[in-house]
Amino acid sequence: MAESATTPPAASPAELLERELEVEALDATLAAVVAGTGRLAVIEGAAGIGKTALLRELRERAYAGGVAVLSARGGELERTFPFGVVRQLFEPIVARASAKDREAAFEGAAALAAPLLGPGPMPASALPDDESAFAVLHGLYWLTVNVAERRPLLLAVDDLHWADVASLRWLAYLAPRLEGIRVLLAGTVRRLETDADPALAGLLTDPATVSVRPPPLTLAAATEIVARRLPGVGTEVAAASHEATGGNPLLLLELLNALVAARPGDDPAGVIVEVRRLAPEVVARRVRLELAKLGPEATRLAEAVAVLGDDVELGHAAALAALDPERAQKAADRLVRAELLGREPLLRFVHPLLRTAVYEEIAPGARDLAHGRAATVLAEAGAAIDRVAAQLVAGPPGGRPDVVET
């Protein structure tokens, strides 16, 4: 059956540095599935910590071991499309398998899932709120069983936290039924939020779930990676790079790429200066990519928090961003899930570099005007006068007596 697409590229050695224990755990889980015991594995961690690299390595090892692989990825802007992740997973069977293999896959109760995966419009019975949706979940389960009868199967889902609700419901339906079928359900997810969908929370908190949590890189690992990319620059550069990125593998690799492009020379002191100059730019690029995925309302709220400073009340940020309370709360939730803002009751960026990156993306003129509006918002809300004054100082000069007095 042609359910496996092209072989994915293997993770680079740098991406898997200090990930031996995590790879070993995933390897053991895959071996158990090949031996006939279904498993659920979840790779948890912050953005850029290496979750996708580990999932990619798992996929590569599955391919090498003759395991069928079906892959999907959740998307922030696609969460409203029912069964979007499910459709990604089973698309190879529908689009690329032979007629004989398709017939075998949809044999028996699996036929209940056929209308969902067909080329036509989504049937009403597939919608998650419909009473007959159970039949679709049941059909998808038997479709999985049928596919796994030929050979062991890996269902790999990147960014589970952005999967649509209907797909999460099916994954939660499948998870407790894995015993006895040769299926490994593996996914990556950012840290679980208190308002996470119950289906996702159930997957992560199930006692049978194999949880893999890659930590930040140590200074020793950062030193090894820096030595590979910039031979001879010394341990001081590695220490500065490690500090600037917090041991985040993705940010470290992007910083080193920027350093190589900048050609800073061999003098360690000069390279360290470049590290400190380039680190905010690298972070800013990542922040831009994250905000582009989260949408304009999340961007406006993030900019409002950047203007207002640390420990911002949601109502103040909402007023400055011109968002009603409900939309502001949803935008804040998205920013927390993306790990740009912290989880405290008051809003603040999880790292000063993130605030700097968002703040400096605002055009200087717009930034001045935003500080002026922020002063008005805070004053009308009865905020402490020193917070109002700080915004006035950062805003455009106007020579107004009331501003001077404040």
Side-chain angles (χ1 to χ4, degrees), residues 10 14 57 134 152 184 187 214 222 226 256 404:
E57 179 69 8
F134 175 81
L184 171 55
V226 171
L256 293 177
V404 175

Side-chain angles (χ1 to χ4, degrees), residues 1 104-110 141-150:
M1 184 178 294
F106 288 100
E107 187 178 4
Y141 164 74
W142 281 105
L143 172 61
T144 305
V145 171
N146 290 347
V147 173
E149 278 188 353
R150 293 279 304 266

Side-chain angles (χ1 to χ4, degrees), residues 17 22 24 37 46 73 80 87 92 111 148 177 190 202 307 367:
L17 196 61
E22 290 78 10
E24 184 180 330
T37 304
R73 185 173 188 176
T80 57
R87 283 172 171 254
R177 295 168 172 81
R190 294 182 181 177
V307 168
R367 208 159 52 205

Side-chain angles (χ1 to χ4, degrees), residues 94-232:
V94 175
R96 294 192 285 275
S98 66
K100 181 179 178 181
D101 285 341
R102 277 198 303 272
E103 184 178 352
F106 288 100
E107 187 178 4
L112 294 169
L116 170 67
L117 299 169
M122 179 89 63
S125 61
L127 298 178
D129 292 331
D130 193 277
E131 290 183 3
S132 59
F134 175 81
V136 176
L137 302 183
H138 189 63
L140 288 169
Y141 164 74
W142 281 105
L143 172 61
T144 305
V145 171
N146 290 347
V147 173
E149 278 188 353
R150 293 279 304 266
R151 54 181 169 140
L153 172 65
L154 167 62
L155 298 174
V157 184
D158 206 3
D159 291 336
L160 267 173
H161 47 278
W162 284 335
D164 60 277
V165 173
S167 293
L168 285 174
R169 283 188 61 189
W170 175 67
L171 294 173
Y173 180 87
L174 173 65
R177 295 168 172 81
L178 289 173
E179 187 175 354
I181 61 174
R182 298 183 300 169
V183 174
L184 171 55
L185 171 57
T188 67
V189 66
R190 294 182 181 177
R191 294 186 184 96
L192 185 64
E193 301 298 330
T194 54
D195 63 343
D197 186 271
L200 178 59
L203 290 173
L204 270 62
T205 57
D206 190 317
T209 300
V210 176
S211 294
V212 175
R213 299 182 178 91
L217 297 176
T218 65
L219 176 57
T223 301
E224 183 175 340
I225 293 172
V226 171
R228 292 177 185 174
R229 294 288 281 140
L230 297 169

